[in-house]
Amino acid sequence: MRRNLVRALTGVAVAAALIGTAACAPSDKSGDNGDGKSCTYKIAMMGPITGDNAGLGKPILQAVQLAVEKHNSAHADKCVTLEQADDKGDSSVAPGLAQGLVANASVLGVVGPAFSGPTSATGSIFEGGKLPIISASATRPDLSTKGWTTFHRSLGNDASQGPAVGKFIKESLKASKVFVIDDTSDYGTGLSEESKKALGSAVVGYEQIQPKQTDFSAVVAKVKTAAPDVVFFAGYYAEGGPLAKQIKGTGIKTTFVGPDGIKDQGFITGAADAAEGSIVTCPCIPAEKATGTFAADYKARFKEDAGTYAAEAFDAANVFLDGITSGVTDRAKMLDFVNKYDKDGVSKHIKFDAHGEIAADQIVIWTYDVKGGQIIAREPIK
Amino acid sequence: MNYFSDRWHDLLPNLGDLVVAGLTQGAIYALIALGYTLVYGVLQLINFAHSEVFLVGTYASIIVWGWIGYAAGDGNPVPALGTVILLLGAGTIAASLVSGGTAVLIERVAYAPLRRKNAPRLIFLITAIGASVAISELVGELTNRRPWGVPLLVEPKTQFVIDPGMSINPAPVTNLQIGIVLSAIVMWFLLDTFLNRSRFGLGIRAVAQNEDTAALMGVNKDRVIMLTFLLGGLAAGVAATLYNLKIGTISFNIGFLLGLKAFTAAVLGGIGNLRGALVGGLVLGLVENLGAGFFGNKWIDVVAFVILVIVLMFRPTGILGDSLGRARA
């Protein structure tokens, strides 16, 4: 009897372990390929589908899925399969996945990698395989100047976000004392450098936190001593939520400002009441401002509003899909097609310069308010 | 030279705040370290799954608070004192029961079958790591890998201010910080008394000294081991509730680093020794925060482990030595 109980419980534990490992195993499941028949070509989505910051990967994945499904219903003869590469937002996981994609000759384009760290770690692998990539969210400035001809991104980078943040904090928020914190990631350090340059003498303090850190007492003590008007945190929501909460806990009056990395509901669930009144900046347009029926289509398909970078990812996927529609059959032709692309997307006009960047006049940095537990569009920074 | 005077200049104004914050953080390490040390004292097993025993406790207290009607972000005002005591009581009991239950479950499912087969020690260690990953991933799946906020139950209110003068800023000490440090000391005291004064405690110490002899003297070894896991789980549950109040956000992966730190605290103080866990926790919290204040926060983990290595070089059994069964029996 007792032995049976133990056996049953062991079974439960084993099942739990299997569910756990299934969730963290590199996912190479194929997405919807129309009516189930196998398609000749694939495009891939690479980003965090599981892991600490999976919330930021989900809208990107779903937007790409939406684009592929639309393409497949319109061009059944040139159908495309979506390949999911789950890098967890982790630079050490990404290279292996990138090699897998490069080795798979039917993959003609990659939407991603989503985060700057993994992009930095895989750029040369994609370059070696001549596999064109369009990231819808990696914003570290120097990604486009490493000589990778295959690299493109469908949004502005932190060389525009950083100065815009500085301008916004100084002019709109009228802050004279700013404390800058970053998370030591490729993305966070790039952004904090750019914003510190723009803020100049307004920076009264600078600290770095560690990914996965939960207790920020030492940083909070410094913030308290500096008593800034604004705390700008360059990092992701997993750390941003608790950091905002602990800063608010000291009772000092300061406005918490963070970038696209905290623009996720996870920031609000993590910071709870302390999130209220925070401001988020992002080189992404609010979904409801995207042109055409994108926001409505997305909501109809996934029963939720399009999240951060969904519109940008939809545009990136459509560049590759348009290429396949127009008869592209290999990577060299795809790269050529992407470089010559010149068409309106739902987020902006998509045309890449020689470095794979969007034209400066197309880039708009938006600000968002955290109000009533929601992230609500505030205004573009002009 | 210039580097150090700059750093010193950074540290000095915050010294008071950092000491208070360090002791508070250290108290939470100490509570978790009690669990590591108890199990190690009896079984010489490093129960790496103990960090997840703590993790499920943090979720249990938040869920119970939600049932009572206090959830994060619903705009509830901070409740009155009577309600707070009720909520804290309910949260602590729920966290302790769930943590204790999880600890016993892990023991029954993962370790007991191995012990029956006389498996080598390494196998236990791997099993512990496996259990830890499985539970953490399961929680991650169930919570969609999003962090959870904790409702504001205790408004941190300054009780008194330590003003050391010189160029050190006065450091306010809040009710919450006092409560956390006191809880750790009380919990240690209760466990210590239980081990040294009660019949069950005698049984635990007997098994810690020599399992086989204890069995010959009529001690039920399996029951004693389960009890040990249960006690560690209860302490972790208390830690989980206090962690919720202090940090205010939890996520499926918080256990790993915290568990590593608590284990470090246990080794630092002398693993197998309850008083060592308390001292180790407080020392680690202090050293970490002062180190972060001096070198910058990004060195916080480096400082912790460098101190561990230095202490172990001079005192291989930790600050107070290892002595659950041996020295004080």
Side-chain angles (χ1 to χ4, degrees):
Chain A
M1 183 64 210
R2 190 167 166 137
R3 177 153 278 198
N4 283 345
L5 176 70
V6 170
R7 268 199 200 133
L9 289 175
T10 313
V12 171
V14 168
L18 285 177
I19 294 169
T21 43
C24 80
S27 169
D28 54 354
K29 282 172 288 192
S30 296
D32 183 8
N33 53 2
D35 45 356
K37 67 182 176 204
S38 63
C39 301
T40 322
Y41 300 116
K42 287 180 177 171
I43 68 169
M45 177 276 174
M46 185 159 167
I49 299 170
T50 65
D52 301 355
N53 287 298
L56 288 168
K58 193 178 172 205
I60 298 178
L61 175 64
Q62 293 187 344
V64 175
Q65 226 172 325
L66 180 67
V68 168
E69 283 165 15
K70 281 190 160 194
H71 168 91
N72 287 349
S73 61
H75 305 279
D77 55 323
K78 286 179 177 162
C79 75
V80 169
T81 310
L82 171 60
E83 179 103 3
Q84 300 180 14
D86 178 12
D87 67 11
K88 301 183 170 59
D90 186 336
S91 308
S92 57
V93 175
L97 291 170
Q99 268 150 3
L101 293 176
V102 163
N104 184 345
S106 57
V107 176
L108 294 188
V110 178
V111 177
F115 287 1
S116 296
T119 312
S120 222
T122 55
S124 54
I125 298 170
F126 289 121
E127 180 67 17
K130 295 289 163 219
L131 178 57
I133 59 175
I134 306 177
S135 176
S137 52
T139 50
R140 185 176 169 94
D142 68 12
L143 293 174
S144 61
T145 54
K146 297 197 170 173
W148 300 326
T149 55
T150 45
F151 175 82
H152 306 78
R153 60 181 144 206
S154 59
L155 80 170
N157 67 35
D158 290 335
S160 35
Q161 181 168 212
V165 166
K167 192 169 174 232
F168 172 75
I169 290 175
K170 280 208 286 196
E171 292 174 13
S172 297
L173 299 181
K174 308 212 181 329
S176 55
K177 288 160 81 184
V178 184
F179 200 104
V180 179
I181 302 171
D182 75 42
D183 67 350
T184 65
S185 70
D186 279 353
Y187 161 72
T189 49
L191 183 55
S192 72
E193 268 163 38
E194 294 293 336
S195 58
K196 274 195 290 177
K197 262 188 246 162
L199 287 163
S201 60
V203 178
V204 292
Y206 169 61
E207 255 295 1
Q208 291 186 300
I209 60 151
Q210 302 231 307
K212 294 188 194 288
Q213 192 174 349
T214 53
D215 193 321
F216 302 105
S217 306
V219 175
V220 170
K222 283 193 181 175
V223 171
K224 208 173 116 198
T225 305
D229 306 318
V230 167
V231 174
F232 178 63
F233 169 67
Y236 296 108
Y237 71 83
E239 288 80 27
L243 179 64
K245 182 146 189 169
Q246 288 169 43
I247 289 175
K248 192 136 185 179
T250 61
I252 60 165
K253 286 214 171 355
T254 182
T255 306
F256 190 87
V257 179
D260 42 330
I262 68 165
K263 190 177 171 297
D264 184 88
Q265 208 58 28
F267 172 64
I268 293 164
T269 56
D273 313 295
E276 201 68 14
S278 303
I279 295 172
V280 182
T281 67
C282 184
C284 55
I285 68 164
E288 67 270 18
K289 307 274 181 196
T291 54
T293 57
F294 172 71
D297 291 351
Y298 188 100
K299 187 153 191 176
R301 171 67 177 81
F302 299 110
K303 311 282 177 274
E304 61 188 24
D305 286 321
T308 309
Y309 293 131
E312 285 77 6
F314 186 74
D315 283 347
N318 274 329
V319 173
F320 293 129
L321 296 170
D322 283 354
I324 290 168
T325 311
S326 77
V328 165
T329 52
D330 62 33
R331 287 175 185 173
K333 282 186 196 135
M334 182 59 94
L335 183 58
D336 196 46
F337 181 85
V338 171
N339 285 334
K340 288 190 180 134
Y341 197 82
D342 189 354
K343 214 170 137 185
D344 277 334
V346 297
S347 70
K348 59 179 82 63
H349 186 82
I350 305 289
K351 183 180 190 325
F352 302 104
D353 69 9
H355 297 292
E357 297 273 16
I358 292 285
D361 60 352
Q362 288 295 323
I363 293 170
V364 185
I365 310 290
W366 275 80
T367 55
Y368 297 78
D369 280 318
V370 179
K371 250 192 213 152
Q374 300 284 322
I375 301 175
I376 299 162
R378 177 185 167 117
E379 57 184 3
I381 304 171
K382 294 201 180 76
Chain B
M1 197 58 225
N2 209 2
Y3 173 81
F4 282 98
S5 73
D6 279 1
R7 296 276 76 79
W8 182 245
H9 188 74
D10 263 9
L11 172 69
L12 200 58
N14 301 322
L15 203 57
D17 277 333
L18 289 171
V19 168
V20 175
L23 287 175
T24 320
Q25 200 172 337
I28 290 183
Y29 289 156
L31 279 168
I32 307 176
L34 287 172
Y36 280 102
T37 247
L38 269 171
V39 170
Y40 186 87
V42 175
L43 289 177
Q44 277 78 53
L45 161 69
I46 302 167
N47 179 16
F48 274 115
H50 189 63
S51 54
E52 270 55 46
V53 168
F54 162 82
L55 179 75
V56 293
T58 60
Y59 281 94
S61 57
I62 291 189
I63 291 171
V64 165
W65 289 333
W67 284 342
I68 301 177
Y70 286 87
D74 59 3
N76 272 334
V78 176
L81 187 65
T83 324
V84 170
I85 293 174
L86 178 83
L87 284 168
L88 292 188
T92 312
I93 291 169
S96 292
L97 287 181
V98 171
S99 286
T102 309
V104 172
L105 186 72
I106 293 173
E107 204 287 314
R108 291 278 88 187
V109 172
Y111 303 141
L114 291 178
R115 220 175 22 251
R116 271 202 292 277
K117 297 203 163 69
N118 274 329
R121 212 143 265 167
L122 191 63
I123 306 297
F124 281 88
L125 201 66
I126 302 294
T127 310
I129 294 171
S132 163
V133 172
I135 296 175
S136 155
E137 285 295 324
L138 185 66
V139 172
E141 276 302 291
L142 292 177
T143 59
N144 232 341
R145 291 168 197 275
R146 285 245 169 93
W148 280 18
V150 181
L152 189 62
L153 296 183
V154 182
E155 182 102 59
K157 270 201 202 100
T158 306
Q159 301 297 307
F160 56 88
V161 176
I162 301 173
D163 190 355
M166 298 178 287
S167 35
I168 303 174
N169 289 347
V173 180
T174 65
N175 45 2
L176 193 58
Q177 288 165 325
I178 299 171
I180 291 175
V181 175
L182 281 184
S183 304
I185 296 173
V186 168
M187 195 72 208
W188 158 75
F189 180 76
L190 289 179
L191 280 178
D192 200 62
T193 314
F194 181 79
L195 275 183
N196 288 317
R197 301 260 182 272
S198 74
R199 257 176 68 88
F200 289 114
L202 189 65
I204 291 179
R205 281 180 296 146
V207 174
Q209 281 185 338
N210 190 323
E211 294 179 19
D212 298 330
T213 314
L216 290 175
M217 300 293 159
V219 179
N220 184 338
K221 194 175 109 188
D222 268 343
R223 192 174 299 165
V224 161
I225 289 171
M226 256 165 67
L227 182 67
T228 311
F229 274 89
L230 180 68
L231 290 177
L234 294 180
V238 174
T241 313
L242 296 172
Y243 179 92
N244 280 345
L245 296 177
K246 177 175 192 290
I247 306 293
T249 311
I250 56 168
S251 160
F252 72 97
N253 57 4
I254 54 170
F256 178 71
L257 192 58
L258 208 60
L260 207 58
K261 291 286 180 63
F263 174 63
T264 308
V267 174
L268 191 64
I271 193 155
N273 177 341
L274 289 183
R275 201 173 305 168
L278 184 69
V279 171
L282 294 176
V283 168
L284 185 68
L286 264 183
V287 165
E288 257 189 16
N289 277 275
L290 293 178
F294 188 79
F295 294 107
N297 179 72
K298 63 178 163 177
W299 298 103
I300 191 162
D301 298 338
V302 178
V303 173
F305 291 106
V306 167
I307 295 296
L308 177 70
V309 170
I310 293 174
V311 169
L312 292 186
M313 270 193 318
F314 294 102
R315 283 195 65 92
T317 50
I319 299 173
L320 297 183
D322 50 349
S323 72
L324 185 66
R326 254 142 298 174
R328 310 212 323 280

